[in-house]
Amino acid sequence: MFNKPFHSTPLNDKKILITGGAGFIGSNLVEYLLKYEAKKVRVLDNFSTGHINNVKPFLHYPNFELIEGDIRNYETCVKAITDIDFVLHQAALGSVPRSIEDPITTNEVNISGFLNILTAAKNIGIKRLVYAASSSTYGDSKNLPKVEHIIGNPLSPYAVTKLVNELYAKVFSTSYQFHSIGLRYFNVFGPKQNPKGAYAAVIPLFVHSMLQKIAPSIYGDGLTSRDFTFIENVVQANIKALFADNIFESEVFNIAYGSSTTLTELWQKINAIGNVNISPNYLPERKGDIKHSLANIDKARKILDYNPEFSIDEGLAITIKWYRDNPDHFETK
């Protein structure tokens, strides 16, 4: 992974905080930054969804620091951001179904926690905040492909929280001239994504089913489609956003590959790579899910010089190999 750099600016004098750095996306960012010798990589995580095994290989690095704490505590955020140049804010409670079952906690983490990080970053005067936004912001908009300036009504509490993040970022830009970048992720997948738990994402669930040779569950008729985005593309976007020099207000960007795959097609691809032939179980559609999602990534290409290099097929091959090589990764915390 990360065999080529996505930055031209040297990292050996950069100190970077990654909130949620023990999570799936966060820990891949940690791996990249340490591989390319950032001066300091600090992680803030409360391990509610992150896993210690995601960062255990880095604990002995002299330029790595782990703070166990919660973004819902403002003083913890201040402590984490002090003496930091850049923030990659990945901490959040994901999952549409989880937000429908527990909207209060989702709101506390994703909105209050985000506001704590945003405020601390503004007050301390960091150079750039890049945060995880979400394609869920498009809500019930029928427009395809999705373009940043056309959104619909949110379909879940999770989507509301991600939209509010963008609104706060915009207000901080106009009120305080503190400009941040939101990356609207589209169905990210790859190594270090947990296949276990009630709110696991579809690709790790499907891969786990394939490896166990059991039928997966598909919600709906299987024609639901997503723009599945391999993690290395997402890391590229984060790194390029950190050092983009043409940002003059808070901006949001679609981060995806730019092609759609149905859930049935996804399972067929995983079947083929795993050399199995298992039929899935089809269940009723889930509340809050959208039917189709496909990103227009022209804005990110133009402004961030984002160029996703890994297709879903290439990403799946890497991901499945990782799960095979790391069968016990998520067994204990």
Side-chain angles (χ1 to χ4, degrees):
M1 295 272 292
F2 315 126
N3 292 324
K4 59 176 286 189
F6 303 126
H7 61 282
S8 56
T9 303
L11 297 181
N12 59 6
D13 61 345
K14 307 295 190 297
K15 293 173 286 187
I16 302 163
L17 169 69
I18 304 173
T19 68
F24 159 48
I25 296 175
S27 61
N28 277 282
L29 288 165
V30 170
E31 181 179 339
Y32 176 92
L33 292 167
L34 289 175
K35 180 171 183 174
Y36 290 102
E37 301 181 334
K39 182 176 182 179
K40 178 181 281 293
V41 177
R42 180 182 290 163
V43 162
L44 173 62
D45 205 299
N46 69 353
F47 295 99
S48 61
T49 59
H51 202 287
I52 188 61
N53 285 349
N54 284 340
V55 292
K56 188 175 287 185
F58 315 125
L59 294 177
H60 68 283
Y61 282 50
N63 55 340
F64 177 78
E65 180 184 359
L66 174 62
I67 297 176
E68 187 168 354
D70 198 311
I71 60 171
R72 288 173 287 184
N73 183 289
Y74 179 71
E75 294 306 319
T76 297
C77 295
V78 170
K79 175 185 175 184
I81 292 175
T82 297
D83 194 35
I84 285 292
D85 301 314
F86 301 92
V87 176
L88 293 169
H89 178 57
Q90 310 299 314
L93 271 185
S95 170
V96 165
R98 187 206 318 263
S99 75
I100 290 173
E101 291 186 19
D102 185 5
I104 291 175
T105 306
T106 298
N107 185 88
E108 290 172 349
V109 174
N110 294 2
I111 294 181
S112 296
F114 176 80
L115 184 57
N116 284 340
I117 290 292
L118 188 63
T119 303
K122 184 264 294 182
N123 289 345
I124 290 170
I126 65 157
K127 297 173 183 176
R128 174 66 51 80
L129 168 67
V130 178
Y131 65 93
S134 172
S135 60
S136 67
T137 298
Y138 290 104
D140 62 2
S141 171
K142 302 292 192 244
N143 288 53
L144 287 175
K146 307 297 185 185
V147 291
E148 286 84 350
H149 63 283
I150 301 175
I151 64 172
N153 298 304
L155 294 175
S156 67
Y158 173 73
V160 169
T161 67
K162 287 303 189 178
L163 175 58
V164 171
N165 286 179
E166 293 185 11
L167 295 174
Y168 264 125
K170 197 72 174 176
V171 166
F172 269 58
S173 187
T174 56
S175 298
Y176 308 114
Q177 289 70 57
F178 181 79
H179 310 315
S180 55
I181 294 177
L183 303 179
R184 287 181 184 163
Y185 298 152
F186 282 69
N187 296 90
V188 187
F189 73 97
K192 302 180 185 177
Q193 190 173 24
N194 197 341
K196 301 184 177 182
Y199 304 111
V202 63
I203 286 182
L205 283 175
F206 277 14
V207 172
H208 183 69
S209 292
M210 181 273 292
L211 293 174
Q212 298 296 316
K213 294 183 169 53
I214 58 176
S217 296
I218 292 180
Y219 293 93
D221 57 10
L223 299 180
T224 296
S225 64
R226 294 290 183 266
D227 195 335
F228 293 104
T229 311
F230 185 56
I231 183 63
E232 190 148 345
N233 298 332
V234 169
V235 170
Q236 178 200 149
N238 274 271
I239 300 305
K240 292 197 169 184
L242 272 188
F243 303 115
D245 58 7
N246 51 352
I247 302 296
F248 307 106
E249 60 181 340
S250 287
E251 296 274 10
V252 293
F253 298 91
N254 289 338
I255 302 301
Y257 187 71
S259 66
S260 62
T261 303
T262 69
L263 295 182
T264 295
E265 289 170 340
L266 172 65
W267 177 241
Q268 290 169 346
K269 289 176 184 289
I270 292 172
N271 261 348
I273 295 171
N275 196 29
V276 300
N277 185 20
I278 302 170
S279 297
N281 297 318
Y282 290 92
L283 302 176
E285 290 190 5
R286 296 185 305 187
K287 187 185 301 183
D289 280 352
I290 60 173
K291 187 69 176 177
H292 300 293
S293 185
L294 171 65
N296 179 310
I297 55 175
D298 290 347
K299 182 180 177 183
R301 285 187 185 276
K302 180 180 179 181
I303 298 177
L304 301 181
D305 191 31
Y306 170 65
N307 182 33
E309 299 177 359
F310 290 84
S311 68
I312 182 172
D313 297 275
E314 294 166 322
L316 283 173
I318 296 169
T319 301
I320 290 170
K321 182 180 185 305
W322 185 88
Y323 283 116
R324 280 184 165 144
D325 292 344
N326 297 273
D328 302 321
H329 185 81
F330 296 106
E331 288 301 321
T332 58
K333 279 204 174 186

